[in-house]
Amino acid sequence: MRLLDWIVLLGTLGFIVSYGVWKTRGSKDIEGYLKGDNSMKWWTIGLSIMATQASAITFLSTPGQAYEDGMRFVQFYFGLPIAMVIISITVIPIFYRLKVYTAYEYLESRFDLKTRSLAALLFLIQRGLAAGITIYAPAIILSTILGWNLTLTNLFIGILVIVYTVSGGTKAVSVTQKQQMAVMMGGMLVAGFMVVHYLPESVSFGDAIAVAGKMGKMNVVDFSFDWNDRYNFWSGMTGGLFLALSYFGTDQSQVARYLGGKSVGESRLGLLFNGLLKIPMQFIILFIGVMVFVFYQFNQPPLFFNEAAKDKVYATDFGPEMQALEEQHTALFNQKQEAMHGLVAALRTDNETAIASAQAKVQGITDASKEVRNETKALIAKATPDAETKDTDYVFISFVMKYLPAGLVGLLLAVIFSAAMSSTASELNALASTTVIDIYKRSVKKDKDNFHYLRASKLFTAAWGTLAIIFATYASMLDNLIQAVNIIGSIFYGTILGIFLVAFYVKYIKGHAVFIAALLAEAVVLYCHFYTDIAFLWFNVIGCMAVVVFGAILQLFMGEKEKETA
Amino acid sequence: MKETDNKPTQELDKPPFFKSWKSMYWLVLGNLAFLITLFYIITRIYS
């Protein structure tokens, strides 16, 4: 990295952290610290919601996903606007009426203390693990690409977040997220402009989109129904809706964002703002990935985007084999150049036969290149068995580091750090508020003064932050950790959503029944995890439906029993 | 905390630009329908 990049990176992050601390200094009570004094306007809430959801992996992985698989991932978000409307109508008024600090607090008024505590504990386990990964996932990629020390990168992200989150609580999280969103979107738009600018002079923007389309990357919407296809219109409208409802309606890291609103109206508008802008934002990020793909049709891409992993192979006895693959890769790219320019020329003629012929030629070389890449991945796995053979997370950052000028590299790294910090800050803030409000204040120290709980909130924020850094530091010792955390999340998410679904919509089911149903549902999910081959994403649906069905059956018997006793 | 203990809240806040929340919700859903249609057209044109 050059000096200008360091100045831009450290200057941007330093400004955001200092501004957050300065702007929110002097929180005097727990209301101000955990709910931001209910002073937030809708645009702050909306940006805060979007920044919480957009983690560093969003900016590292999404362009890579488009590079590999095209635009179709955007369909995953089709259910989100509908979820925003449902939550605005049903959830927000209830939370405001009860003046709750956390989503789980509502469960005590609807059911009982044990159900509230159970939901809060499930959330703490799941989100506590996720916070470590939110720091670790970008740190491992940045440390690999830039040669930074992994532990120091974890510490750098973690400590910056702890500083302003402990200092200013919810308000600091939301205030800094406005700047972070500005950096994220500004940086991505600049990167998008640069990649189009770097296309060969003979290839216009229109040609680039047409080429992307002919190479199967402009597959934005697919209405065909297929159970095995993860991203199509139907899975987005059902699974996407389901996930968005559970994430925005029951996950405290999101609930805390809109509970800090000035009024019901401000919170609703914040959510609806997200409903309007989330899909276009994802579309833009994916489109940048597609443009990077087109760029690499005219400029030779690396054989494997995680070059550090490839270099490790050269240090083994498999080095000559890797060298041979590199040579094949270069030869194929040289052949492809002629074919690509032929395709652009054919597209301009509008002659279907010429286009089909040029497309077939390009496709043949692309298939051969894919085969060489697959052989490379197999070689990396053979030579260095611990190495990760998926390199899509490295596509975008590799482009940034190699092609962007001084200053812009620093800005794009600021985008990734801002994203990591914004989602981690929301997580720490939510973990602390749930620990204090749902566990500590409710069941451990019930009658302390306001200042005591304010101090406890700050201590718990710092403690969760420290735990997240420790977890991130040791994360590399576990195999396939990100997948493990996703599985743990799915094991608990379904049950939590089921409890809330019953709370909001099935008034007939009472506290005792839902509590036992939640425990049974958790047992069913654990059984599915350990004794079946069901994909873990389905645990969300199974856990949720099990709570509703078991709750209804148990309530039927309990209701009868109550009548007999009466 | 009992629901009955609570004071009336600002549930009747009016949204900006529109007379009712229902119109705001339709705007969000209409925008979704517009985006899906636009994406479908893009898919058809460039496939």
Side-chain angles (χ1 to χ4, degrees):
Chain A
M1 272 203 2
R2 289 150 289 189
L3 180 66
L4 186 59
D5 294 319
W6 280 109
I7 293 171
V8 172
L9 173 64
L10 297 177
T12 308
L13 299 183
F15 169 75
I16 292 172
V17 172
S18 314
Y19 181 78
V21 172
W22 171 75
K23 184 84 179 165
T24 59
R25 66 198 181 281
S27 287
K28 289 186 175 59
D29 57 27
I30 196 167
E31 172 99 16
Y33 191 77
L34 295 183
K35 289 173 84 178
D37 284 323
N38 281 105
S39 60
M40 274 170 257
K41 303 289 279 181
W42 63 268
W43 56 85
T44 306
I45 298 168
L47 289 172
S48 185
I49 285 169
M50 292 177 85
T52 296
Q53 193 180 15
S55 69
I57 284 299
T58 307
F59 295 95
L60 287 167
S61 291
T62 311
Q65 171 123 11
Y67 182 96
E68 197 80 8
D69 196 34
M71 297 288 297
R72 68 193 191 115
F73 180 59
V74 79
Q75 296 170 105
F76 184 69
Y77 294 92
F78 282 178
L80 186 144
I82 303 169
M84 297 300 98
V85 170
I86 293 172
I87 294 169
S88 293
I89 295 171
T90 57
V91 178
I92 290 182
I94 294 176
F95 284 169
Y96 264 87
R97 195 157 56 236
L98 297 176
K99 297 188 187 323
V100 292
Y101 283 82
T102 72
Y104 318 107
E105 212 178 337
Y106 158 67
L107 295 176
E108 185 170 357
S109 64
R110 170 65 177 87
F111 298 125
D112 48 32
L113 174 61
K114 61 180 183 298
T115 310
R116 169 186 177 178
S117 305
L118 176 67
L121 279 172
L122 293 178
F123 168 75
L124 290 175
I125 296 169
Q126 176 206 353
R127 195 45 72 184
L129 289 170
I133 289 302
T134 313
I135 295 174
Y136 171 76
I140 181 73
I141 294 168
L142 292 174
S143 62
T144 306
I145 287 275
L146 298 162
W148 293 350
N149 178 291
L150 177 60
T151 308
L152 287 180
T153 313
N154 282 330
L155 277 170
F156 181 68
I157 299 173
I159 290 172
L160 280 182
V161 174
I162 290 173
V163 166
Y164 68 84
T165 313
V166 169
S167 160
T170 294
K171 205 186 266 184
V173 173
S174 298
V175 162
T176 48
Q177 281 174 331
K178 275 199 286 190
Q179 270 96 40
Q180 285 159 341
M181 269 307 281
V183 172
M184 287 185 237
M185 289 320 295
M188 288 307 282
L189 289 175
V190 170
F193 174 80
M194 292 306 289
V195 67
V196 173
H197 175 70
Y198 284 149
L199 289 171
E201 271 183 29
S202 58
V203 179
S204 69
F205 181 57
D207 292 334
I209 302 176
V211 164
K214 288 296 169 202
M215 297 188 78
K217 303 298 176 187
M218 295 303 289
N219 50 346
V220 198
V221 180
D222 178 6
F223 284 109
S224 58
F225 184 82
D226 181 358
W227 281 109
N228 300 318
D229 185 8
R230 199 180 285 178
Y231 308 121
N232 58 39
F233 173 81
W234 307 105
S235 65
M237 290 300 269
T238 52
L241 169 65
F242 197 92
L243 275 178
L245 277 176
S246 45
Y247 179 53
F248 291 98
T250 74
D251 190 311
Q252 180 61 22
S253 59
Q254 279 295 358
V255 173
R257 309 282 67 81
Y258 54 81
L259 282 184
K262 207 170 183 179
S263 65
V264 171
E266 300 287 347
S267 296
R268 274 179 172 161
L269 275 178
L271 274 175
L272 297 177
F273 176 83
N274 184 39
L276 282 170
L277 295 184
K278 181 69 187 176
I279 294 177
M281 176 184 145
Q282 288 301 130
F283 181 90
I284 290 169
I285 299 172
L286 285 163
F287 188 72
I288 291 169
V290 168
M291 286 297 107
V292 172
F293 171 82
V294 176
F295 170 83
Y296 277 130
Q297 302 312 301
F298 299 96
N299 297 274
Q300 186 170 353
L303 173 59
F304 191 70
F305 283 96
N306 180 355
E307 301 218 40
K310 193 182 69 186
D311 291 344
K312 279 184 188 164
V313 178
Y314 277 112
T316 70
D317 293 342
F318 296 94
E321 282 180 55
M322 182 58 85
Q323 182 61 42
L325 288 168
E326 294 259 29
E327 282 160 16
Q328 280 184 55
H329 174 68
T330 305
L332 284 167
F333 177 76
N334 291 336
Q335 283 179 41
K336 198 177 193 179
Q337 281 311 282
E338 195 190 328
M340 286 308 303
H341 286 286
L343 178 62
V344 172
L347 283 166
R348 285 181 184 160
T349 63
D350 261 352
N351 180 332
E352 287 300 322
T353 321
I355 293 172
S357 160
Q359 200 178 348
K361 200 171 173 188
V362 167
Q363 194 56 50
I365 302 170
T366 305
D367 290 344
S369 296
K370 257 188 198 161
E371 191 51 44
V372 172
R373 255 173 69 75
N374 287 340
E375 282 176 37
T376 307
K377 287 177 187 178
L379 184 65
I380 289 172
K382 198 166 146 191
T384 50
D386 293 338
E388 173 65 71
T389 54
K390 184 173 164 272
D391 65 342
T392 47
D393 291 348
Y394 293 83
V395 170
F396 183 61
I397 189 72
S398 157
F399 166 79
V400 167
M401 297 305 299
K402 199 165 173 186
Y403 292 101
L404 291 197
L408 286 187
V409 172
L411 178 66
L412 266 294
L413 288 177
V415 168
I416 291 157
F417 275 103
S418 293
M421 286 161 61
S422 66
S423 43
T424 309
S426 290
E427 285 173 335
L428 298 188
N429 181 243
L431 285 163
S433 53
T434 306
T435 311
V436 171
I437 299 295
D438 296 301
I439 310 288
Y440 185 74
K441 189 180 175 195
R442 183 65 187 88
S443 305
V444 183
K445 299 266 185 192
K446 293 183 182 177
D447 302 313
K448 297 290 179 181
D449 59 26
N450 214 320
F451 181 70
H452 176 88
Y453 295 121
L454 173 66
R455 210 172 46 182
S457 301
K458 291 188 174 195
L459 280 173
F460 277 117
T461 308
W464 279 111
T466 309
L467 205 66
I469 294 174
I470 293 171
F471 185 62
T473 304
Y474 290 100
S476 57
M477 293 172 73
L478 299 169
D479 286 336
N480 222 348
L481 186 118
I482 296 173
Q483 171 136 324
V485 170
N486 281 337
I487 292 172
I488 291 168
S490 295
I491 286 174
F492 296 124
Y493 237 161
T495 306
I496 298 175
L497 179 64
I499 295 171
F500 275 93
L501 205 65
V502 169
F504 286 123
Y505 304 112
V506 195
K507 297 291 176 197
Y508 145 82
I509 302 175
K510 306 288 183 238
H512 209 52
V514 83
F515 180 77
I516 299 171
L519 293 177
L520 289 173
E522 212 39 72
V524 169
V525 172
L526 287 171
Y527 176 84
C528 292
H529 174 57
F530 287 111
Y531 298 106
T532 72
D533 293 327
I534 297 172
F536 69 85
L537 280 174
W538 286 105
F539 295 167
N540 294 294
V541 183
I542 293 168
C544 177
M545 295 320 294
V547 173
V548 178
V549 173
F550 287 142
I553 296 169
L554 284 165
Q555 189 60 48
L556 199 69
F557 286 110
M558 284 173 179
E560 288 300 317
K561 216 171 175 182
E562 278 164 18
K563 276 184 203 164
E564 279 171 26
T565 317
Chain B
M1 193 186 295
K2 296 265 189 293
E3 255 182 74
T4 47
D5 294 342
N6 294 289
K7 294 171 194 166
T9 60
Q10 313 93 316
E11 262 184 75
L12 296 175
D13 278 357
K14 286 269 185 262
F17 320 118
F18 292 100
K19 283 184 182 166
S20 69
W21 282 104
K22 206 181 260 184
S23 311
M24 278 299 296
Y25 301 144
W26 280 115
L27 172 73
V28 174
L29 299 177
N31 180 59
L32 173 65
F34 167 75
L35 288 172
I36 292 172
T37 311
L38 181 70
F39 293 163
Y40 179 67
I41 293 168
I42 291 172
T43 307
R44 288 297 298 267
I45 290 175
Y46 291 106
S47 65

